[in-house]
Amino acid sequence: MAINLDAALGIHPQTLDFRVERSKILAGNLANAETPGYKARDLDFQTVMLQINAGMSPDRNYQESYRVPYQTSADQNTVELGKEQARYSQNAMDYQTSLTFLNMKISGLRTAIEGQ
């Protein structure tokens, strides 16, 4: 009997991919915190989850959106350093959580294949 890895691993590979892409964007925001006129960007996890729940496989062309700041700056930069750092940290924790779930799934498959 063949094992369908997509079904066996669930949504975890897609969430890992999303978290990697989001961390690139958040890191770019942090790097440009002092760049005049830079507009902070982000990805929406809820949109990806809606696609997965609808049975669609999300493509890697995630839709970026610009963030509206809580406080405007004089140089029109929309990066709020403290909030960006918190988002980056939260995304890193979410990445670790998804990675842990994926490792548990793989470990379970390995146990099943070995017959233990």
Side-chain angles (χ1 to χ4, degrees), residues 6-7 9-16 45 49 52-53 98 105:
D6 290 336
L9 297 178
I11 64 170
H12 304 297
Q14 290 95 351
T15 58
L16 272 179
F45 184 67
M49 290 306 297
I52 292 172
N53 288 337
S98 293
K105 290 277 192 174

Side-chain angles (χ1 to χ4, degrees), residues 54-70:
M56 299 169 19
S57 179
D59 58 0
R60 297 194 71 213
N61 297 325
Y62 301 112
Q63 292 297 101
E64 295 180 11
S65 59
Y66 292 100
R67 191 171 299 119
V68 177
Y70 293 107

